Amino acid sequence: MSFENAKENLAEFGKELGLEGLEFDENNTCILGIDDEFSLHLTYEPNSKRLYMYSPLLDGLPRDEKTKLKLYERLLEGSMLGGQMAGGGVGVAVKEELILIHCTLDMEHAVPSALRAFAPLYVETVEKWRKICSDICEGREPSEAPSTPSGGSQQPGKPGGQGPGFIKA
């Protein structure tokens, strides 16, 4: 039942984006490109009955130890109780030089529109944190709350160009 709910959520999300036929692969994962900037990974995990959303924040870690420490401190502050991470958190894979932001949706009790409703906030959060990480790595003081191009939270794009789209085909 939970996996069927996850599939229905993915289908509803796809309809909102004008991408009919979104499906999970053999690993229960679907990967979407967002504005040619980053990827949104959606993985259903049957044991927990959760849909995991995760995206890279940075390609490669800073070489300078002071910069790396500043980056880690900022990420840890932001992920305190999920407050600045859309209720999720952040993880670092040092060997792979990868930083991921992640959130989960409980698919056992979620309505079919849960992913569609949550995705714009998640994408906005990823964009904000990608900018913060980039600023720190380039030696700039990051702004606290970068605005989105529309000046507010982004809504999924609709066919016919209504609303700012966040997935570019």
Side-chain angles (χ1 to χ4, degrees):
M1 178 66 182
S2 298
F3 189 45
E4 277 32 358
N5 194 9
K7 289 188 222 177
E8 193 173 346
N9 264 273
L10 186 61
E12 285 293 315
F13 184 48
K15 285 179 194 173
E16 180 76 14
L17 300 172
L19 300 171
E20 299 291 325
L22 283 185
E23 295 179 345
F24 292 107
D25 65 14
E26 66 278 356
N27 297 313
N28 297 337
T29 297
C30 179
I31 303 172
L32 301 170
I34 309 295
D35 285 341
D36 296 326
E37 293 291 319
F38 66 92
S39 54
L40 167 59
H41 301 244
L42 300 160
T43 299
Y44 176 75
E45 205 290 306
N47 293 326
S48 67
K49 299 179 182 173
R50 291 185 179 151
L51 183 64
Y52 289 86
M53 302 174 67
Y54 50 101
S55 299
L57 290 180
L58 194 63
D59 297 323
L61 296 176
R63 300 287 173 232
D64 176 64
E65 293 299 319
K66 285 177 132 176
T67 303
K68 194 183 301 185
L69 178 61
K70 185 174 184 173
L71 177 64
Y72 287 172
E73 285 176 349
R74 186 63 188 265
L75 289 167
L76 285 170
E77 286 172 8
S79 72
M80 176 86 59
L81 299 176
Q84 295 177 32
M85 302 272 179
V90 67
V92 178
V94 177
K95 283 183 182 179
E96 292 81 7
E97 295 193 26
L98 180 64
I99 297 174
L100 289 179
I101 186 171
H102 57 85
C103 292
T104 61
L105 294 173
D106 179 1
M107 286 293 109
E108 190 165 23
H109 305 289
V111 295
S113 61
L115 175 60
R116 184 183 73 214
F118 182 70
L121 170 65
Y122 177 79
V123 169
E124 183 178 342
T125 302
V126 172
E127 289 173 338
K128 172 187 136 180
W129 279 100
R130 284 182 59 85
K131 176 156 181 17
I132 289 171
C133 290
S134 175
D135 285 350
I136 290 171
C137 289
E138 293 173 12
R140 293 186 303 270
E141 197 57 41
S143 56
E144 284 297 315
S147 63
T148 61
S150 63
S153 66
Q154 293 182 342
Q155 299 299 316
K158 297 189 172 135
Q162 300 170 348
F166 59 84
I167 296 189
K168 306 280 188 210

